[in-house]
PDB file of all heavy atoms in Angstrom:
ATOM      1  N   VAL A  13       2.441   4.132  -5.785  1.00  0.00           N
ATOM      2  CA  VAL A  13       1.547   3.390  -4.892  1.00  0.00           C
ATOM      3  C   VAL A  13       0.104   3.689  -5.272  1.00  0.00           C
ATOM      4  O   VAL A  13      -0.296   4.864  -5.339  1.00  0.00           O
ATOM      5  CB  VAL A  13       1.830   3.767  -3.424  1.00  0.00           C
ATOM      6  CG1 VAL A  13       0.883   3.018  -2.487  1.00  0.00           C
ATOM      7  CG2 VAL A  13       3.288   3.435  -3.067  1.00  0.00           C
ATOM      8  N   LEU A  14      -0.684   2.633  -5.500  1.00  0.00           N
ATOM      9  CA  LEU A  14      -2.037   2.760  -6.040  1.00  0.00           C
ATOM     10  C   LEU A  14      -3.068   2.266  -5.035  1.00  0.00           C
ATOM     11  O   LEU A  14      -2.985   1.131  -4.569  1.00  0.00           O
ATOM     12  CB  LEU A  14      -2.154   1.955  -7.333  1.00  0.00           C
ATOM     13  CG  LEU A  14      -1.020   2.111  -8.348  1.00  0.00           C
ATOM     14  CD1 LEU A  14      -1.235   1.172  -9.527  1.00  0.00           C
ATOM     15  CD2 LEU A  14      -0.918   3.555  -8.806  1.00  0.00           C
ATOM     16  N   ARG A  35      -5.128   3.973   3.682  1.00  0.00           N
ATOM     17  CA  ARG A  35      -4.427   2.723   3.989  1.00  0.00           C
ATOM     18  C   ARG A  35      -3.080   2.639   3.276  1.00  0.00           C
ATOM     19  O   ARG A  35      -2.164   1.950   3.748  1.00  0.00           O
ATOM     20  CB  ARG A  35      -5.299   1.515   3.592  1.00  0.00           C
ATOM     21  CG  ARG A  35      -4.604   0.159   3.779  1.00  0.00           C
ATOM     22  CD  ARG A  35      -4.229  -0.090   5.226  1.00  0.00           C
ATOM     23  NE  ARG A  35      -3.413  -1.276   5.392  1.00  0.00           N
ATOM     24  CZ  ARG A  35      -2.090  -1.308   5.381  1.00  0.00           C
ATOM     25  NH1 ARG A  35      -1.400  -0.188   5.167  1.00  0.00           N
ATOM     26  NH2 ARG A  35      -1.434  -2.443   5.568  1.00  0.00           N
ATOM     27  N   MET A  36      -2.916   3.340   2.177  1.00  0.00           N
ATOM     28  CA  MET A  36      -1.672   3.236   1.431  1.00  0.00           C
ATOM     29  C   MET A  36      -0.570   4.139   1.970  1.00  0.00           C
ATOM     30  O   MET A  36       0.593   4.010   1.568  1.00  0.00           O
ATOM     31  CB  MET A  36      -1.919   3.563  -0.045  1.00  0.00           C
ATOM     32  CG  MET A  36      -3.012   2.717  -0.699  1.00  0.00           C
ATOM     33  SD  MET A  36      -2.845   0.942  -0.371  1.00  0.00           S
ATOM     34  CE  MET A  36      -1.393   0.541  -1.334  1.00  0.00           C
ATOM     35  N   ILE A  39       2.171   2.125   3.742  1.00  0.00           N
ATOM     36  CA  ILE A  39       2.917   1.341   2.767  1.00  0.00           C
ATOM     37  C   ILE A  39       3.946   2.226   2.058  1.00  0.00           C
ATOM     38  O   ILE A  39       5.114   1.853   1.904  1.00  0.00           O
ATOM     39  CB  ILE A  39       1.964   0.683   1.759  1.00  0.00           C
ATOM     40  CG1 ILE A  39       1.159  -0.425   2.440  1.00  0.00           C
ATOM     41  CG2 ILE A  39       2.726   0.128   0.556  1.00  0.00           C
ATOM     42  CD1 ILE A  39       0.154  -1.104   1.551  1.00  0.00           C
ATOM     43  N   ILE A  43       8.127   1.884   2.287  1.00  0.00           N
ATOM     44  CA  ILE A  43       9.012   1.785   1.127  1.00  0.00           C
ATOM     45  C   ILE A  43      10.053   2.900   1.157  1.00  0.00           C
ATOM     46  O   ILE A  43      11.239   2.667   0.896  1.00  0.00           O
ATOM     47  CB  ILE A  43       8.193   1.846  -0.174  1.00  0.00           C
ATOM     48  CG1 ILE A  43       7.234   0.641  -0.264  1.00  0.00           C
ATOM     49  CG2 ILE A  43       9.116   1.878  -1.392  1.00  0.00           C
ATOM     50  CD1 ILE A  43       6.211   0.757  -1.381  1.00  0.00           C
ATOM     51  N   LEU A  91       5.264  -0.614  -9.523  1.00  0.00           N
ATOM     52  CA  LEU A  91       3.885  -0.279  -9.178  1.00  0.00           C
ATOM     53  C   LEU A  91       3.452  -1.150  -8.008  1.00  0.00           C
ATOM     54  O   LEU A  91       3.611  -2.370  -8.051  1.00  0.00           O
ATOM     55  CB  LEU A  91       2.957  -0.530 -10.368  1.00  0.00           C
ATOM     56  CG  LEU A  91       3.270   0.204 -11.673  1.00  0.00           C
ATOM     57  CD1 LEU A  91       2.253  -0.184 -12.749  1.00  0.00           C
ATOM     58  CD2 LEU A  91       3.292   1.710 -11.470  1.00  0.00           C
ATOM     59  N   VAL A  92       2.898  -0.529  -6.975  1.00  0.00           N
ATOM     60  CA  VAL A  92       2.406  -1.253  -5.799  1.00  0.00           C
ATOM     61  C   VAL A  92       0.949  -0.874  -5.598  1.00  0.00           C
ATOM     62  O   VAL A  92       0.641   0.301  -5.348  1.00  0.00           O
ATOM     63  CB  VAL A  92       3.220  -0.908  -4.533  1.00  0.00           C
ATOM     64  CG1 VAL A  92       2.627  -1.620  -3.314  1.00  0.00           C
ATOM     65  CG2 VAL A  92       4.679  -1.289  -4.713  1.00  0.00           C
ATOM     66  N   GLY A  93       0.033  -1.851  -5.726  1.00  0.00           N
ATOM     67  CA  GLY A  93      -1.383  -1.529  -5.623  1.00  0.00           C
ATOM     68  C   GLY A  93      -2.143  -2.493  -4.737  1.00  0.00           C
ATOM     69  O   GLY A  93      -1.791  -3.672  -4.633  1.00  0.00           O
ATOM     70  N   HIS A  94      -3.206  -1.988  -4.124  1.00  0.00           N
ATOM     71  CA  HIS A  94      -4.075  -2.790  -3.254  1.00  0.00           C
ATOM     72  C   HIS A  94      -5.473  -2.853  -3.849  1.00  0.00           C
ATOM     73  O   HIS A  94      -5.990  -1.860  -4.360  1.00  0.00           O
ATOM     74  CB  HIS A  94      -4.137  -2.164  -1.856  1.00  0.00           C
ATOM     75  CG  HIS A  94      -5.192  -2.750  -0.977  1.00  0.00           C
ATOM     76  ND1 HIS A  94      -6.223  -2.010  -0.437  1.00  0.00           N
ATOM     77  CD2 HIS A  94      -5.388  -4.031  -0.553  1.00  0.00           C
ATOM     78  CE1 HIS A  94      -6.990  -2.794   0.284  1.00  0.00           C
ATOM     79  NE2 HIS A  94      -6.517  -4.025   0.233  1.00  0.00           N
ATOM     80  N   SER A  95      -6.098  -4.025  -3.789  1.00  0.00           N
ATOM     81  CA  SER A  95      -7.478  -4.224  -4.224  1.00  0.00           C
ATOM     82  C   SER A  95      -7.625  -3.848  -5.705  1.00  0.00           C
ATOM     83  O   SER A  95      -6.907  -4.375  -6.543  1.00  0.00           O
ATOM     84  CB  SER A  95      -8.420  -3.429  -3.319  1.00  0.00           C
ATOM     85  OG  SER A  95      -9.769  -3.786  -3.546  1.00  0.00           O
ATOM     86  N   LEU A  96      -8.523  -2.916  -6.036  1.00  0.00           N
ATOM     87  CA  LEU A  96      -8.615  -2.490  -7.432  1.00  0.00           C
ATOM     88  C   LEU A  96      -7.326  -1.804  -7.898  1.00  0.00           C
ATOM     89  O   LEU A  96      -7.008  -1.804  -9.081  1.00  0.00           O
ATOM     90  CB  LEU A  96      -9.799  -1.543  -7.626  1.00  0.00           C
ATOM     91  CG  LEU A  96     -11.166  -2.192  -7.872  1.00  0.00           C
ATOM     92  CD1 LEU A  96     -12.238  -1.127  -8.040  1.00  0.00           C
ATOM     93  CD2 LEU A  96     -11.135  -3.103  -9.097  1.00  0.00           C
ATOM     94  N   GLY A  97      -6.596  -1.243  -6.943  1.00  0.00           N
ATOM     95  CA  GLY A  97      -5.284  -0.694  -7.280  1.00  0.00           C
ATOM     96  C   GLY A  97      -4.310  -1.786  -7.672  1.00  0.00           C
ATOM     97  O   GLY A  97      -3.422  -1.570  -8.495  1.00  0.00           O
ATOM     98  N   GLY A  98      -4.482  -2.973  -7.094  1.00  0.00           N
ATOM     99  CA  GLY A  98      -3.671  -4.106  -7.496  1.00  0.00           C
ATOM    100  C   GLY A  98      -3.987  -4.534  -8.911  1.00  0.00           C
ATOM    101  O   GLY A  98      -3.093  -4.853  -9.700  1.00  0.00           O
ATOM    102  N   ARG A  99      -5.282  -4.526  -9.256  1.00  0.00           N
ATOM    103  CA  ARG A  99      -5.661  -4.846 -10.635  1.00  0.00           C
ATOM    104  C   ARG A  99      -5.118  -3.800 -11.604  1.00  0.00           C
ATOM    105  O   ARG A  99      -4.613  -4.137 -12.685  1.00  0.00           O
ATOM    106  CB  ARG A  99      -7.188  -4.914 -10.738  1.00  0.00           C
ATOM    107  CG  ARG A  99      -7.668  -5.458 -12.079  1.00  0.00           C
ATOM    108  CD  ARG A  99      -9.175  -5.469 -12.173  1.00  0.00           C
ATOM    109  NE  ARG A  99      -9.616  -6.209 -13.362  1.00  0.00           N
ATOM    110  CZ  ARG A  99     -10.678  -5.897 -14.084  1.00  0.00           C
ATOM    111  NH1 ARG A  99     -11.427  -4.845 -13.751  1.00  0.00           N
ATOM    112  NH2 ARG A  99     -11.014  -6.609 -15.134  1.00  0.00           N
ATOM    113  N   ALA A 101      -2.450  -2.007 -11.188  1.00  0.00           N
ATOM    114  CA  ALA A 101      -1.010  -2.221 -11.302  1.00  0.00           C
ATOM    115  C   ALA A 101      -0.709  -3.339 -12.295  1.00  0.00           C
ATOM    116  O   ALA A 101       0.200  -3.227 -13.123  1.00  0.00           O
ATOM    117  CB  ALA A 101      -0.420  -2.548  -9.937  1.00  0.00           C
ATOM    118  N   LEU A 102      -1.486  -4.415 -12.238  1.00  0.00           N
ATOM    119  CA  LEU A 102      -1.275  -5.534 -13.155  1.00  0.00           C
ATOM    120  C   LEU A 102      -1.516  -5.119 -14.607  1.00  0.00           C
ATOM    121  O   LEU A 102      -0.744  -5.469 -15.505  1.00  0.00           O
ATOM    122  CB  LEU A 102      -2.181  -6.699 -12.779  1.00  0.00           C
ATOM    123  CG  LEU A 102      -1.873  -7.392 -11.449  1.00  0.00           C
ATOM    124  CD1 LEU A 102      -3.004  -8.339 -11.066  1.00  0.00           C
ATOM    125  CD2 LEU A 102      -0.553  -8.160 -11.538  1.00  0.00           C
ATOM    126  N   VAL A 113       5.864  -5.215 -10.477  1.00  0.00           N
ATOM    127  CA  VAL A 113       4.494  -4.952 -10.043  1.00  0.00           C
ATOM    128  C   VAL A 113       4.205  -5.771  -8.787  1.00  0.00           C
ATOM    129  O   VAL A 113       4.442  -6.988  -8.773  1.00  0.00           O
ATOM    130  CB  VAL A 113       3.484  -5.338 -11.142  1.00  0.00           C
ATOM    131  CG1 VAL A 113       2.051  -5.243 -10.619  1.00  0.00           C
ATOM    132  CG2 VAL A 113       3.661  -4.461 -12.371  1.00  0.00           C
ATOM    133  N   ALA A 114       3.689  -5.121  -7.761  1.00  0.00           N
ATOM    134  CA  ALA A 114       3.248  -5.808  -6.551  1.00  0.00           C
ATOM    135  C   ALA A 114       1.750  -5.559  -6.373  1.00  0.00           C
ATOM    136  O   ALA A 114       1.319  -4.407  -6.269  1.00  0.00           O
ATOM    137  CB  ALA A 114       4.008  -5.309  -5.324  1.00  0.00           C
ATOM    138  N   ALA A 115       0.975  -6.642  -6.342  1.00  0.00           N
ATOM    139  CA  ALA A 115      -0.472  -6.546  -6.174  1.00  0.00           C
ATOM    140  C   ALA A 115      -0.844  -7.147  -4.825  1.00  0.00           C
ATOM    141  O   ALA A 115      -0.624  -8.339  -4.586  1.00  0.00           O
ATOM    142  CB  ALA A 115      -1.184  -7.281  -7.305  1.00  0.00           C
ATOM    143  N   LEU A 116      -1.391  -6.326  -3.943  1.00  0.00           N
ATOM    144  CA  LEU A 116      -1.743  -6.739  -2.587  1.00  0.00           C
ATOM    145  C   LEU A 116      -3.243  -6.966  -2.496  1.00  0.00           C
ATOM    146  O   LEU A 116      -4.033  -6.045  -2.735  1.00  0.00           O
ATOM    147  CB  LEU A 116      -1.314  -5.663  -1.584  1.00  0.00           C
ATOM    148  CG  LEU A 116       0.117  -5.132  -1.735  1.00  0.00           C
ATOM    149  CD1 LEU A 116       0.366  -4.002  -0.733  1.00  0.00           C
ATOM    150  CD2 LEU A 116       1.138  -6.251  -1.573  1.00  0.00           C
ATOM    151  N   ASN A 117      -3.654  -8.195  -2.177  1.00  0.00           N
ATOM    152  CA  ASN A 117      -5.081  -8.549  -2.158  1.00  0.00           C
ATOM    153  C   ASN A 117      -5.800  -7.976  -3.380  1.00  0.00           C
ATOM    154  O   ASN A 117      -6.806  -7.266  -3.251  1.00  0.00           O
ATOM    155  CB  ASN A 117      -5.751  -8.045  -0.874  1.00  0.00           C
ATOM    156  CG  ASN A 117      -5.339  -8.825   0.355  1.00  0.00           C
ATOM    157  OD1 ASN A 117      -4.718  -9.877   0.257  1.00  0.00           O
ATOM    158  ND2 ASN A 117      -5.687  -8.321   1.528  1.00  0.00           N
ATOM    159  N   PRO A 118      -5.311  -8.277  -4.566  1.00  0.00           N
ATOM    160  CA  PRO A 118      -5.906  -7.643  -5.756  1.00  0.00           C
ATOM    161  C   PRO A 118      -7.325  -8.126  -6.026  1.00  0.00           C
ATOM    162  O   PRO A 118      -7.622  -9.315  -5.911  1.00  0.00           O
ATOM    163  CB  PRO A 118      -4.964  -8.077  -6.886  1.00  0.00           C
ATOM    164  CG  PRO A 118      -4.389  -9.374  -6.417  1.00  0.00           C
ATOM    165  CD  PRO A 118      -4.219  -9.202  -4.929  1.00  0.00           C
ATOM    166  N   TRP A 119      -8.202  -7.183  -6.379  1.00  0.00           N
ATOM    167  CA  TRP A 119      -9.566  -7.517  -6.809  1.00  0.00           C
ATOM    168  C   TRP A 119      -9.501  -7.702  -8.314  1.00  0.00           C
ATOM    169  O   TRP A 119      -9.311  -6.748  -9.068  1.00  0.00           O
ATOM    170  CB  TRP A 119     -10.519  -6.394  -6.433  1.00  0.00           C
ATOM    171  CG  TRP A 119     -11.959  -6.787  -6.484  1.00  0.00           C
ATOM    172  CD1 TRP A 119     -12.770  -7.061  -5.431  1.00  0.00           C
ATOM    173  CD2 TRP A 119     -12.772  -6.947  -7.666  1.00  0.00           C
ATOM    174  NE1 TRP A 119     -14.032  -7.393  -5.862  1.00  0.00           N
ATOM    175  CE2 TRP A 119     -14.065  -7.338  -7.235  1.00  0.00           C
ATOM    176  CE3 TRP A 119     -12.547  -6.813  -9.031  1.00  0.00           C
ATOM    177  CZ2 TRP A 119     -15.111  -7.581  -8.128  1.00  0.00           C
ATOM    178  CZ3 TRP A 119     -13.575  -7.070  -9.927  1.00  0.00           C
ATOM    179  CH2 TRP A 119     -14.845  -7.440  -9.473  1.00  0.00           C
ATOM    180  N   LEU A 134       4.760  -9.725  -8.108  1.00  0.00           N
ATOM    181  CA  LEU A 134       4.467 -10.297  -6.799  1.00  0.00           C
ATOM    182  C   LEU A 134       2.989 -10.106  -6.500  1.00  0.00           C
ATOM    183  O   LEU A 134       2.456  -9.002  -6.636  1.00  0.00           O
ATOM    184  CB  LEU A 134       5.290  -9.601  -5.708  1.00  0.00           C
ATOM    185  CG  LEU A 134       4.942  -9.966  -4.256  1.00  0.00           C
ATOM    186  CD1 LEU A 134       5.368 -11.404  -3.939  1.00  0.00           C
ATOM    187  CD2 LEU A 134       5.587  -8.985  -3.281  1.00  0.00           C
ATOM    188  N   VAL A 135       2.321 -11.185  -6.097  1.00  0.00           N
ATOM    189  CA  VAL A 135       0.960 -11.104  -5.590  1.00  0.00           C
ATOM    190  C   VAL A 135       0.981 -11.571  -4.134  1.00  0.00           C
ATOM    191  O   VAL A 135       1.540 -12.626  -3.835  1.00  0.00           O
ATOM    192  CB  VAL A 135      -0.016 -11.980  -6.402  1.00  0.00           C
ATOM    193  CG1 VAL A 135      -1.415 -11.927  -5.794  1.00  0.00           C
ATOM    194  CG2 VAL A 135      -0.057 -11.523  -7.858  1.00  0.00           C
ATOM    195  N   VAL A 136       0.415 -10.778  -3.243  1.00  0.00           N
ATOM    196  CA  VAL A 136       0.286 -11.146  -1.835  1.00  0.00           C
ATOM    197  C   VAL A 136      -1.198 -11.179  -1.506  1.00  0.00           C
ATOM    198  O   VAL A 136      -1.894 -10.180  -1.711  1.00  0.00           O
ATOM    199  CB  VAL A 136       1.017 -10.140  -0.914  1.00  0.00           C
ATOM    200  CG1 VAL A 136       0.949 -10.607   0.531  1.00  0.00           C
ATOM    201  CG2 VAL A 136       2.468  -9.953  -1.348  1.00  0.00           C
ATOM    202  N   HIS A 137      -1.680 -12.325  -1.026  1.00  0.00           N
ATOM    203  CA  HIS A 137      -3.114 -12.446  -0.803  1.00  0.00           C
ATOM    204  C   HIS A 137      -3.417 -13.207   0.488  1.00  0.00           C
ATOM    205  O   HIS A 137      -2.810 -14.245   0.756  1.00  0.00           O
ATOM    206  CB  HIS A 137      -3.782 -13.153  -1.981  1.00  0.00           C
ATOM    207  CG  HIS A 137      -5.138 -12.610  -2.310  1.00  0.00           C
ATOM    208  ND1 HIS A 137      -6.202 -12.691  -1.439  1.00  0.00           N
ATOM    209  CD2 HIS A 137      -5.606 -11.942  -3.389  1.00  0.00           C
ATOM    210  CE1 HIS A 137      -7.259 -12.119  -1.991  1.00  0.00           C
ATOM    211  NE2 HIS A 137      -6.925 -11.646  -3.173  1.00  0.00           N
ATOM    212  N   GLY A 138      -4.346 -12.669   1.260  1.00  0.00           N
ATOM    213  CA  GLY A 138      -4.739 -13.285   2.522  1.00  0.00           C
ATOM    214  C   GLY A 138      -5.808 -14.346   2.339  1.00  0.00           C
ATOM    215  O   GLY A 138      -6.683 -14.227   1.477  1.00  0.00           O
ATOM    216  N   ASP A 141      -9.582 -13.065   3.137  1.00  0.00           N
ATOM    217  CA  ASP A 141     -10.110 -11.935   2.371  1.00  0.00           C
ATOM    218  C   ASP A 141     -11.505 -12.303   1.855  1.00  0.00           C
ATOM    219  O   ASP A 141     -11.651 -13.237   1.063  1.00  0.00           O
ATOM    220  CB  ASP A 141      -9.185 -11.631   1.201  1.00  0.00           C
ATOM    221  CG  ASP A 141      -9.497 -10.309   0.516  1.00  0.00           C
ATOM    222  OD1 ASP A 141     -10.679  -9.901   0.530  1.00  0.00           O
ATOM    223  OD2 ASP A 141      -8.570  -9.699  -0.036  1.00  0.00           O
ATOM    224  N   ALA A 144     -11.966  -9.504  -1.962  1.00  0.00           N
ATOM    225  CA  ALA A 144     -11.247  -9.893  -3.180  1.00  0.00           C
ATOM    226  C   ALA A 144     -10.942 -11.385  -3.083  1.00  0.00           C
ATOM    227  O   ALA A 144     -10.161 -11.807  -2.236  1.00  0.00           O
ATOM    228  CB  ALA A 144      -9.960  -9.088  -3.329  1.00  0.00           C
ATOM    229  N   LYS A 171      -6.787 -10.440   5.966  1.00  0.00           N
ATOM    230  CA  LYS A 171      -8.059  -9.915   5.483  1.00  0.00           C
ATOM    231  C   LYS A 171      -7.829  -8.795   4.470  1.00  0.00           C
ATOM    232  O   LYS A 171      -6.704  -8.324   4.281  1.00  0.00           O
ATOM    233  CB  LYS A 171      -8.900  -9.418   6.657  1.00  0.00           C
ATOM    234  CG  LYS A 171      -9.291 -10.528   7.627  1.00  0.00           C
ATOM    235  CD  LYS A 171     -10.201 -10.014   8.735  1.00  0.00           C
ATOM    236  CE  LYS A 171     -10.621 -11.144   9.669  1.00  0.00           C
ATOM    237  NZ  LYS A 171     -11.519 -10.666  10.750  1.00  0.00           N
ATOM    238  N   HIS A 172      -8.922  -8.354   3.848  1.00  0.00           N
ATOM    239  CA  HIS A 172      -8.788  -7.447   2.714  1.00  0.00           C
ATOM    240  C   HIS A 172      -8.127  -6.122   3.073  1.00  0.00           C
ATOM    241  O   HIS A 172      -7.296  -5.613   2.313  1.00  0.00           O
ATOM    242  CB  HIS A 172     -10.155  -7.179   2.087  1.00  0.00           C
ATOM    243  CG  HIS A 172     -10.060  -6.466   0.776  1.00  0.00           C
ATOM    244  ND1 HIS A 172      -9.498  -7.036  -0.354  1.00  0.00           N
ATOM    245  CD2 HIS A 172     -10.425  -5.201   0.411  1.00  0.00           C
ATOM    246  CE1 HIS A 172      -9.533  -6.173  -1.358  1.00  0.00           C
ATOM    247  NE2 HIS A 172     -10.074  -5.048  -0.922  1.00  0.00           N
ATOM    248  N   MET A 174      -5.927  -5.481   5.219  1.00  0.00           N
ATOM    249  CA  MET A 174      -4.501  -5.668   5.533  1.00  0.00           C
ATOM    250  C   MET A 174      -4.105  -5.072   6.877  1.00  0.00           C
ATOM    251  O   MET A 174      -2.926  -4.822   7.121  1.00  0.00           O
ATOM    252  CB  MET A 174      -3.605  -5.080   4.431  1.00  0.00           C
ATOM    253  CG  MET A 174      -3.931  -5.518   3.021  1.00  0.00           C
ATOM    254  SD  MET A 174      -2.779  -4.885   1.765  1.00  0.00           S
ATOM    255  CE  MET A 174      -3.073  -3.108   1.879  1.00  0.00           C
ATOM    256  N   VAL A 180       3.226  -7.338   7.723  1.00  0.00           N
ATOM    257  CA  VAL A 180       3.530  -8.333   6.699  1.00  0.00           C
ATOM    258  C   VAL A 180       3.350  -7.726   5.308  1.00  0.00           C
ATOM    259  O   VAL A 180       4.262  -7.756   4.469  1.00  0.00           O
ATOM    260  CB  VAL A 180       2.640  -9.582   6.860  1.00  0.00           C
ATOM    261  CG1 VAL A 180       2.824 -10.527   5.682  1.00  0.00           C
ATOM    262  CG2 VAL A 180       2.948 -10.288   8.175  1.00  0.00           C
ATOM    263  N   TYR A 181       2.178  -7.174   5.063  1.00  0.00           N
ATOM    264  CA  TYR A 181       1.903  -6.591   3.746  1.00  0.00           C
ATOM    265  C   TYR A 181       2.837  -5.420   3.438  1.00  0.00           C
ATOM    266  O   TYR A 181       3.419  -5.343   2.343  1.00  0.00           O
ATOM    267  CB  TYR A 181       0.455  -6.129   3.659  1.00  0.00           C
ATOM    268  CG  TYR A 181      -0.560  -7.227   3.518  1.00  0.00           C
ATOM    269  CD1 TYR A 181      -1.242  -7.713   4.621  1.00  0.00           C
ATOM    270  CD2 TYR A 181      -0.854  -7.780   2.271  1.00  0.00           C
ATOM    271  CE1 TYR A 181      -2.201  -8.724   4.491  1.00  0.00           C
ATOM    272  CE2 TYR A 181      -1.803  -8.777   2.127  1.00  0.00           C
ATOM    273  CZ  TYR A 181      -2.471  -9.253   3.244  1.00  0.00           C
ATOM    274  OH  TYR A 181      -3.406 -10.242   3.113  1.00  0.00           O
ATOM    275  N   ASP A 182       2.967  -4.509   4.387  1.00  0.00           N
ATOM    276  CA  ASP A 182       3.813  -3.339   4.162  1.00  0.00           C
ATOM    277  C   ASP A 182       5.261  -3.752   3.942  1.00  0.00           C
ATOM    278  O   ASP A 182       5.947  -3.236   3.050  1.00  0.00           O
ATOM    279  CB  ASP A 182       3.737  -2.391   5.358  1.00  0.00           C
ATOM    280  CG  ASP A 182       2.351  -1.812   5.578  1.00  0.00           C
ATOM    281  OD1 ASP A 182       1.414  -2.230   4.873  1.00  0.00           O
ATOM    282  OD2 ASP A 182       2.202  -0.963   6.477  1.00  0.00           O
ATOM    283  N   GLY A 183       5.721  -4.692   4.753  1.00  0.00           N
ATOM    284  CA  GLY A 183       7.104  -5.140   4.648  1.00  0.00           C
ATOM    285  C   GLY A 183       7.389  -5.836   3.330  1.00  0.00           C
ATOM    286  O   GLY A 183       8.440  -5.614   2.716  1.00  0.00           O
ATOM    287  N   PHE A 184       6.463  -6.701   2.889  1.00  0.00           N
ATOM    288  CA  PHE A 184       6.666  -7.393   1.615  1.00  0.00           C
ATOM    289  C   PHE A 184       6.706  -6.405   0.455  1.00  0.00           C
ATOM    290  O   PHE A 184       7.512  -6.550  -0.473  1.00  0.00           O
ATOM    291  CB  PHE A 184       5.563  -8.422   1.379  1.00  0.00           C
ATOM    292  CG  PHE A 184       5.664  -9.647   2.245  1.00  0.00           C
ATOM    293  CD1 PHE A 184       4.658 -10.592   2.258  1.00  0.00           C
ATOM    294  CD2 PHE A 184       6.764  -9.868   3.062  1.00  0.00           C
ATOM    295  CE1 PHE A 184       4.742 -11.730   3.054  1.00  0.00           C
ATOM    296  CE2 PHE A 184       6.873 -10.998   3.866  1.00  0.00           C
ATOM    297  CZ  PHE A 184       5.855 -11.929   3.855  1.00  0.00           C
ATOM    298  N   ALA A 185       5.826  -5.409   0.489  1.00  0.00           N
ATOM    299  CA  ALA A 185       5.826  -4.402  -0.573  1.00  0.00           C
ATOM    300  C   ALA A 185       7.151  -3.661  -0.622  1.00  0.00           C
ATOM    301  O   ALA A 185       7.721  -3.434  -1.706  1.00  0.00           O
ATOM    302  CB  ALA A 185       4.674  -3.420  -0.372  1.00  0.00           C
ATOM    303  N   ALA A 186       7.665  -3.281   0.545  1.00  0.00           N
ATOM    304  CA  ALA A 186       8.936  -2.555   0.598  1.00  0.00           C
ATOM    305  C   ALA A 186      10.095  -3.432   0.131  1.00  0.00           C
ATOM    306  O   ALA A 186      10.944  -2.991  -0.653  1.00  0.00           O
ATOM    307  CB  ALA A 186       9.184  -2.051   2.017  1.00  0.00           C
ATOM    308  N   PHE A 188      10.027  -5.984  -1.857  1.00  0.00           N
ATOM    309  CA  PHE A 188       9.931  -6.268  -3.290  1.00  0.00           C
ATOM    310  C   PHE A 188      10.360  -5.060  -4.116  1.00  0.00           C
ATOM    311  O   PHE A 188      11.099  -5.201  -5.106  1.00  0.00           O
ATOM    312  CB  PHE A 188       8.509  -6.671  -3.636  1.00  0.00           C
ATOM    313  CG  PHE A 188       8.303  -7.063  -5.070  1.00  0.00           C
ATOM    314  CD1 PHE A 188       8.783  -8.273  -5.545  1.00  0.00           C
ATOM    315  CD2 PHE A 188       7.629  -6.228  -5.944  1.00  0.00           C
ATOM    316  CE1 PHE A 188       8.606  -8.641  -6.878  1.00  0.00           C
ATOM    317  CE2 PHE A 188       7.437  -6.587  -7.269  1.00  0.00           C
ATOM    318  CZ  PHE A 188       7.927  -7.801  -7.733  1.00  0.00           C
TER     319      PHE A 188
END
Side-chain angles (χ1 to χ4, degrees):
V13 179
L14 314 176
R35 176 61 188 92
M36 305 312 290
I39 290 178
I43 297 169
L91 303 179
V92 177
H94 169 240
S95 191
L96 275 180
R99 189 182 190 215
L102 292 169
V113 172
L116 312 176
N117 288 348
W119 196 104
L134 172 70
V135 177
V136 184
H137 217 296
D141 192 330
K171 296 184 178 180
H172 191 66
M174 309 184 296
V180 172
Y181 286 97
D182 296 6
F184 287 172
F188 183 73

